Amino acid sequence: MAVNNTETMTINMGPQHPSTHGVLQLILELDGEIVVKATPHIGFLHRGIEKLSEHRTYHQTIPLTDRLDYLAPMSNNLGYVLAVEKLLGMTDEIPERVQRIRVIMAELTRLKSHLVWLACHALDIGAMTVFLYCFRERENITDIYEKVSGARMTSNYFRVGGLSADLPDGLEQEIRTFAESMPAHIEEYEGLLTGNRIWQKRTIGVGKISAEAAIDIGITGPALRASGVDWDLRRDNPYSGYEDYDFEVPVREGCDTFDRYKVRLDEMRQASRIILQALDKLKPGPILADCPKIVLPNKQDVVNNIESLIHHFKIVTEGFKPEPGEIYQSVEAPKGELGFYLISDGSSHPFRMKIRPPSFVNLQGLPQMVEGRLLADVIAVIGTLDIVLGEIDR
Amino acid sequence: MSDQKIVEKLKAKFSSEVLDVVVYRGETTVTVKKEQIVDICTFMRDKLGYNLLCDLCGVDYMGKEPRFMVVYNLYNITTKQRIRIKAPVTEEDASIDTVSTVWGTANWHERECWDLMGITFNNHPDLRRILMPADWEGHPLRKDYPLQGPDREPYQGRLS
Amino acid sequence: MTPEVLTLSETPWLFTAAMLIKVIVAFVVTLLIVAYATYAERKIIGRMQTRLGPTMTGPMGLLQPIADGLKLFFKEDIIPSQAHWFAFIIAPIMILAPAFLSIVVIPFGADFQFTYDGTLYAVPLQITDLNIGVLFILAMAGLGVYGIVLAGLASNSKYSLLGGIRSTAQMISYELAAGLSIVAIFMLSETLSMRGIVAAQQGPLWGLESLSFLPNWFIFSQPLAFLLFIVGSMAEINRTPFDLPEAETELVSGFCTEYSAMKYALFFMAEYANMITVSAIAATLFFGGWAGPFYGWINFLLKVFAFMFFFIWIRATFPRLRYDQLMFLGWKVMLPAALVNIVITGIAILLW
């Protein structure tokens, strides 16, 4: 007869659970309230985007990328179009205005994604008010999204070689007003959380991961910078003219949930700085590269000009055909390094598109961050990793 | 250290392993034999400083020999350099040694690669399906796997 | 002419009538406050969170609680097949009943005097003046735990079980601290009767005429006890930041995960009823009960509402504590503080 009657309780957290941020399933083995083992199960939102893209033209794949990290659609668009442009070898031909607008939109997207992160993270820990404050600001960004692209979430705004449309009149001023108001709002969130003793108790020292362990597990983005690794793709491997802007990369040494929180808040401040600088540098100009075989001509030319008509017909019916080759392009998405590995076989479809989703890799760190800690910390750590299941499952 | 020098160092150490070096759009791709992939990766990490495995994936070149290619996208956080290692895998023996001992992050990437592409990773600690359901049959990202899935009418409309 | 107090032996009919009226009025008013506390909570938190709260049902959404109640009333009542049906049904009742029972001993006004048949009678505005009133309240609060534990166990769900376990530990440890903190009040008032405690708070502060602008409320003589009591009772009634048993983001809904329809509503009624009870006790023990500038029970209700607003405000502001931190606060901070407070009060009473 067994003398020791202790046994662990297996609890199934998700895929329907209020704070697994989507359809993440965690099998937790609990000893009382202490997590002995955590096993993430993913794939509930798998839509086969990589497989689908092999059957679509390069342009038709852009809307699919919106659905990866649906909280930051423009970052995904940016990563993909940059990858295709690199594959085509036309990176240097992108007009300046396009690059500026791309940066503005990417940084707005960073704000948008971080706002949702902060909202949900705070709500998970029980601070309900911050949630609604964050969504108030996020609403402004979705309005801006709607004005530039017609959609509030799945923007599909960037095109290979440019943008789908120029900024509408008056929007520059609206973005400027918003970016200027953002630091004050961030102070507001900090006022509710940073100094709060309960918030500090819930976050400081929770979910620690050292820099070595973080690099080994492949964690990127704010989570890595909070572990003391000074690495940001925008500064270190600049793309879209990020080298023109003056911004700081916030780095902290605490390796815990609180520092990840602080790093992301600082990133939001820097993002609004970059937006303002980009708006200052924004000059009128073309919004599409001068590559008639790749970029759709404008409608006026299609009607009046036989060459444009032919190009239009060719691009629409079969798409452009990059030469065979393979490239890897990554951008600093709000959640970490978002990479696109594209292989072309000379046809108008990607031969293989592999997406490196930051959340997928970051989620791998979850078991070692929560094992041996309390159930409530699991929630805090899921929040601090800032995962989006659309991106993890693809 | 330029990419060229790194490739030279790699070649000096594993002269018989390196099959091909391609530079395209400023990116260096080194194709190596799959037998010593763990040693090569350990060398890349320890001696050449590629401490971050950004991405690992399989590619299916159906109709070519060898059919599969396992691709490792490496990054050096200190010098901010990228390099790509590829290892061919044949259809008959679709397996390669795991590099999850070199980079912990390879664990899930390899599971995904096995799940979607059907390439087995020897000595992998936990080789289960990750994105597809546990009882799924077939490997969806293979080129001979129909887009609509098995046992379904092919899509009659146009996809492109 | 001194008014005569109604008793069962001398004026059975009048006594019974007065008692019935008091019970009915107290019950109905409490129920109404419960219903509109949900409305108030949604409106107040809504305003604090830049929202509007309910607006569509009735003028300014005033009919919202009734609509909610009706909706829950007509929902299908599901008992999980693996649940223990008897315990599952009895649990919400066991939570709600003690919550309402505590109201019995709370005095909500001074004596009500009326003349009948030429005699002046006085009716105390309190359903019954138990001489162990405070003890009764503590006992009822202790009973409330059983409901939650039963709900957690009977549901046969792991989330419910965790919620039940959490709440047992939490309520026991905080009841201790909250209970000990009010011991200091008995020491000052030298009675356990709620009415006696209110009476002890009449007059100027500490009987000093120079402080006559301040009433002799126990909040001034026992600020620490008040603090401990408020925090402890917040924990006891499972309000944020101590809402771990039903921590929505961790345990889905804690002990009421498996409940639906009216049984679910009962849990929420119990939560708000408990909030009212705690507010009423705090008002009685520390804020002089019905004393104040207005007519008796109006003062009392105002104090109760002020406390409820405070609880709602806290909910909009604070994140949730973690289980181990909660236990730490209860056993290692609040319990010693309550004990120290008792000792200091004892010494002070001996000296003065």
Side-chain angles (χ1 to χ4, degrees), chain A residues 109-171:
Chain A
T109 305
R110 188 177 314 279
L111 281 174
K112 191 183 181 199
S113 169
H114 281 359
L115 281 171
V116 177
W117 155 78
L118 180 60
C120 298
H121 187 37
L123 186 69
D124 287 350
I125 295 185
M128 194 167 43
T129 307
V130 183
F131 178 82
L132 287 135
Y133 282 11
C134 290
F135 268 70
R136 177 185 63 192
E137 270 74 70
R138 181 179 180 266
E139 191 63 24
N140 292 331
I141 303 179
T142 45
D143 283 347
I144 293 169
Y145 262 49
E146 191 177 359
K147 281 175 187 161
V148 297
S149 68
R152 288 162 59 85
M153 270 183 88
T154 47
S155 54
N156 189 18
Y157 178 52
F158 299 153
R159 291 288 180 272
V160 177
L163 308 165
S164 68
D166 206 342
L167 294 180
D169 288 341
L171 194 73

Side-chain angles (χ1 to χ4, degrees), chain A residues 27 37-42, chain B residues 107-116 124-134:
Chain A
I27 309 284
K37 192 170 188 307
T39 319
H41 286 240
I42 59 173
Chain B
N107 188 330
W108 278 24
H109 285 301
E110 288 177 348
R111 275 177 69 186
E112 187 193 318
C113 185
W114 180 78
D115 185 3
L116 301 179
H124 189 279
D126 183 27
L127 199 63
R128 288 178 289 131
R129 289 207 179 258
I130 184 164
L131 291 177
M132 306 304 286

